[in-house]
Amino acid sequence: MTLRLAPLPGLDTALLLQQGEILEHAALMIESGTAALDEIEELRIRVEEYCVLADSGRIALIPGTGAKLRAGADELKQLIRDWRQTQQDLAEEIADERA
């Protein structure tokens, strides 16, 4: 007897892949120092839209896809919080050096 795992349906795969690309893009922007608040916020909104879509029940997703999308959104939120904290720490450090 062979156990096979069925592939994710196309929409589930597309949403997860798109979200992964957004997470990667945000991480690259932050790591390279080219991130701007409005760009990062736009990416966060896009990721949240996927969660709203999954939670709405308007589209049929397999169980677990919504949780994966939510986990990705939470990961991006944490990345943004860390980035903001780093920006704030840097600004405080610069202010202290000037004082």
Side-chain angles (χ1 to χ4, degrees), residues 70-86:
R70 177 58 54 203
D74 292 343
E75 181 182 337
L76 181 59
K77 287 178 189 176
Q78 184 61 49
L79 186 67
I80 293 169
R81 277 193 293 272
D82 293 345
W83 174 70
R84 284 182 175 162
Q85 185 61 49
T86 301

Side-chain angles (χ1 to χ4, degrees), residues 3-94:
L3 179 63
R4 287 185 172 182
L5 296 175
L8 288 175
L11 183 56
D12 295 65
T13 301
L15 287 171
L16 292 168
L17 286 174
Q18 185 66 28
Q19 185 186 60
E21 288 178 13
I22 291 170
L23 291 170
E24 184 178 336
H25 183 67
L28 287 172
M29 286 173 45
I30 288 171
E31 289 172 9
S32 69
T34 62
L37 183 58
D38 59 331
E39 293 172 323
I40 293 293
E41 192 63 21
E42 181 181 327
L43 294 176
R44 185 196 61 77
I45 290 168
R46 286 178 50 197
V47 166
E48 280 295 319
E49 287 173 350
Y50 297 153
C51 294
V52 169
L53 188 62
D55 292 343
S56 72
R58 290 183 292 169
I59 58 171
L61 298 174
I62 63 168
T65 298
K68 289 178 185 176
L69 291 169
R70 177 58 54 203
D74 292 343
E75 181 182 337
L76 181 59
K77 287 178 189 176
Q78 184 61 49
L79 186 67
I80 293 169
R81 277 193 293 272
D82 293 345
W83 174 70
R84 284 182 175 162
Q85 185 61 49
T86 301
Q87 296 294 94
Q88 183 178 359
D89 292 346
L90 189 58
E92 289 172 3
E93 187 176 314
I94 291 171

